[in-house]
């Protein structure tokens, strides 16, 4: 396996002086190194992968230097526009190095939401005119980095390193000290348990990407209700859960619709809040579980604790806006919002972390969709 610290130092030695991206679990050991080692101002965790490509382009315009832009292959879709209409050699011809976590690689076990994207990732890169090298645990990473950086510079265009599963050994960097969320006591799961206990009538729940959907599924399993509830687990399509919920709510105005969002996911496509506020769906409850982190892929920080989500929701036009961080207030707010006829927003500040042995929903997502449609 590749030592992530050595990999990071090799990137630096080949002229990479700026790092940005959206975290991915396959890359989390390298991201720990980058986060712990980069000087202030030379590492930015971006809202989405398109922003990261644009940021890397801006860095090149200012310095003439290559930036490393890291992402999961599911984020390639977000990045295609700036890759093709900004950095491509037929436009501004801007070099950058992409480090892509290859989820859903053929013949490697992975979750269904990664399989279609994983199968086409190499072809997609070819189609996008992005030369790439595949990195695995036995690669000579130093010469691979040297080669891809040279290609990016000589073509003055993006080049990529496609990183397979289990490539990096554990980082020696201790995880980020979570000084900012020490005071938080509620977990994501606690809030979802309160929500389930508070529901009286029918409701359709749309739950965000990552641990949250697995936790909701597990809570339902423990209550013996799997398959008999209208839970839509948005296991892929990060950042889009609130618009799936909105699309549903606009066609089912009498139904209570609950969207469980994450801070990283909400920030990824934050324009969604503006659209929901102006669409004014009825009986729409948007619950944001803000842990200030991308907990599901390694706990890398988001700006979730630095921004005022309730003020943003209010400014976007949400009618009832609450924020809390303890169980009693969460229960009171959730009960109040579940009675509200309009569109409401609740931020609950939660700690990171999940229970041991968290289950995964079964892989039959089309069946889950049918169950959702039958029970909602
Ligand atoms: C487009 C895209 N980029 C990146 C990912 C990888 N990813 C999966 S979950 C996740 C973190 C979600 O963070 P947040 O919404 O704050 O929820 P938390 O994990 O903290 O509960 C990331 C980055 C993805 N699935 N899709």
């Amino acid at each position: 396996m590749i030592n992530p610290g050595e990999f990071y130092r090799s990137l630096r030695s080949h002229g990479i002086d700026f790092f940005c991206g959206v975290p991915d679990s396959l890359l989390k050991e390298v991201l720990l190194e980058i986060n712990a080692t980069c000087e202030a101002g030379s590492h930015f965790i971006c809202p989405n992968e398109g922003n990261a490509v644009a940021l890397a382009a801006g860095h090149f315009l200012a310095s003439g230097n290559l930036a490393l832009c890291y992402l999961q292959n599911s984020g390639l879709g977000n990045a295609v526009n700036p890759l093709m209409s900004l950095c491509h050699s037929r436009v501004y011809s801007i070099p950058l190095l992409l480090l892509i976590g290859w989820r859903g690689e053929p013949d490697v076990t992975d979750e269904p939401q990664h399989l279609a994207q994983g199968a086409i990732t190499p072809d997609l890169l070819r189609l996008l005119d992005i030369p790439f090298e595949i990195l695995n645990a036995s690669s000579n990473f130093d010469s691979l980095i040297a080669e891809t950086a040279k290609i990016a510079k000589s073509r003055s265009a993006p080049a990529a390193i496609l990183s397979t599963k289990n490539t990096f050994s554990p980082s020696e960097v201790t995880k980020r000290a979570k000084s900012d969320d020490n005071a938080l006591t509620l977990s994501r799961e606690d809030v979802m348990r309160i929500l389930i206990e508070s529901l009286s009538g029918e409701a359709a729940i749309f739950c965000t990407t990552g641990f949250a959907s697995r936790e909701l599924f597990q809570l339902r399993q423990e209550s013996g209700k799997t398959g008999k509830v209208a839970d839509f687990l948005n296991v892929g399509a990060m950042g889009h859960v609130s618009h799936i919920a909105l699309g549903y709510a606009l066609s089912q105005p009498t139904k209570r619709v609950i969207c469980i969002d994450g801070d990283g996911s909400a920030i990824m496509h934050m324009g969604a809040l503006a659209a929901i506020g102006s669409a004014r769906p009825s009986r729409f409850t948007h619950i944001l579980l803000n842990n200030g982190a991308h907990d599901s892929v390694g706990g890398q920080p988001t700006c979730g604790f630095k921004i005022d989500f309730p003020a943003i929701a209010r400014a976007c036009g949400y009618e009832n806006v609450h924020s809390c961080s303890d169980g009693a207030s969460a229960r009171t707010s959730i009960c109040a919002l579940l009675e509200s006829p309009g569109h409401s927003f609740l931020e609950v500040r939660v700690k990171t972390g999940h229970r041991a042995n968290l289950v995964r929903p079964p892989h039959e997502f089309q069946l889950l969709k049918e169950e959702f449609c039958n029970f909602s």
Side-chain angles (χ1 to χ4, degrees):
M1 286 185 128
I2 296 176
N3 178 303
E6 287 171 17
F7 185 83
Y8 168 72
R9 285 186 285 282
S10 168
L11 288 166
R12 301 292 307 222
S13 75
H14 293 292
I16 309 287
D17 65 346
F18 188 83
F19 298 79
C20 58
V22 177
D24 167 44
S25 52
L26 298 191
L27 306 175
K28 72 178 179 202
E29 304 303 332
V30 182
L31 303 187
L32 277 172
E33 298 284 338
I34 294 174
N35 211 32
T37 321
C38 270
E39 318 77 59
S42 59
H43 176 216
F44 281 87
I45 298 178
C46 294
N48 64 55
E49 293 80 358
N51 291 155
V53 169
L55 197 69
H59 175 70
F60 174 79
L61 294 177
S63 65
N65 290 339
L66 268 193
L68 180 92
C69 192
Y70 57 80
L71 64 154
Q72 179 176 102
N73 55 342
S74 8
L76 267 173
N78 282 335
V80 166
N81 180 17
L83 285 170
M84 296 309 284
S85 64
L86 169 70
C87 301
H88 194 275
S89 56
R90 293 176 72 176
V91 197
Y92 282 109
S93 203
I94 294 179
L96 58 94
L97 198 55
L98 299 168
L99 176 63
I100 305 171
W102 192 1
R103 297 296 304 264
E105 182 188 349
D107 303 322
V108 177
T109 310
D110 211 332
E111 299 301 305
Q113 66 271 24
H114 295 295
L115 302 182
Q117 178 79 46
I120 65 159
T121 296
D123 284 343
L124 183 57
L125 289 171
R126 284 183 203 104
L127 202 59
L128 296 173
D129 197 19
I130 298 177
F132 64 93
E133 296 282 345
I134 294 174
L135 180 78
N136 60 38
S138 52
S139 299
N140 179 339
F141 63 87
D142 191 58
S143 59
L144 190 146
I145 290 171
E147 182 59 20
T148 39
K150 194 171 122 200
I151 291 171
K153 283 181 199 155
S154 64
R155 295 179 96 223
S156 197
I161 298 172
L162 190 53
S163 176
T164 57
K165 205 170 175 178
N166 299 326
T167 289
F168 296 103
S169 57
S171 162
E172 281 132 35
V173 171
T174 38
K175 291 208 173 181
R176 178 177 68 105
K178 296 203 172 68
S179 53
D180 48 0
D181 63 6
N182 275 347
L184 295 168
T185 52
L186 279 179
S187 65
R188 266 184 316 261
E189 195 179 308
D190 293 333
V191 181
M192 287 192 273
R193 192 175 294 107
I194 293 172
L195 171 67
I196 291 170
E197 287 165 4
S198 310
L199 282 171
S200 47
E202 284 187 356
I205 300 184
F206 294 81
C207 190
T208 191
T209 320
F211 290 148
S213 276
R214 292 170 61 185
E215 288 164 339
L216 179 60
F217 182 79
Q218 183 142 16
L219 287 171
R220 295 301 206 179
Q221 239 190 2
E222 286 166 1
S223 67
K225 283 198 173 158
T226 321
K228 299 189 185 66
V229 287
D231 292 347
F232 188 87
L233 308 177
N234 183 38
V235 290
M238 180 176 163
H240 291 298
V241 70
S242 65
H243 263 48
I244 306 173
L246 176 63
Y248 182 92
L250 293 175
S251 298
Q252 290 273 5
T254 57
K255 182 64 75 52
R256 167 68 51 195
V257 173
I258 298 159
C259 169
I260 302 173
D261 218 337
D263 49 303
S265 303
I267 291 165
M268 180 166 270
H269 295 299
M270 203 139 90
L273 296 182
I276 294 167
S278 41
R280 309 182 65 75
S282 46
R283 295 177 186 76
F284 188 93
T285 309
H286 195 161
I287 300 176
L288 181 88
L289 303 178
N290 184 2
N291 55 18
H294 292 101
D295 196 26
S296 305
V297 290
Q300 305 83 355
T302 68
C303 56
F305 287 162
K306 293 187 185 153
I307 60 176
D308 188 341
F309 269 115
I312 292 166
R314 254 180 234 111
C316 286
Y318 280 81
E319 289 169 340
N320 295 303
V321 178
H322 296 224
S323 179
C324 63
S325 57
D326 67 274
S329 314
R331 194 174 290 277
T332 310
S333 297
I334 286 173
C335 289
L337 295 189
L338 289 179
E339 294 300 315
S340 155
H343 51 305
S344 44
F345 185 90
L346 169 66
E347 175 200 43
V348 190
R349 291 211 170 192
V350 294
K351 60 186 179 183
T352 51
H354 61 87
R355 64 161 97 181
N357 306 322
L358 190 56
V359 298
R360 289 183 185 276
H363 284 184
E364 293 82 25
F365 285 107
Q366 290 164 30
L367 194 64
L368 291 182
K369 178 191 70 183
E370 276 161 31
E371 286 172 358
F372 173 83
C373 293
N374 288 339
F375 277 88
S376 67

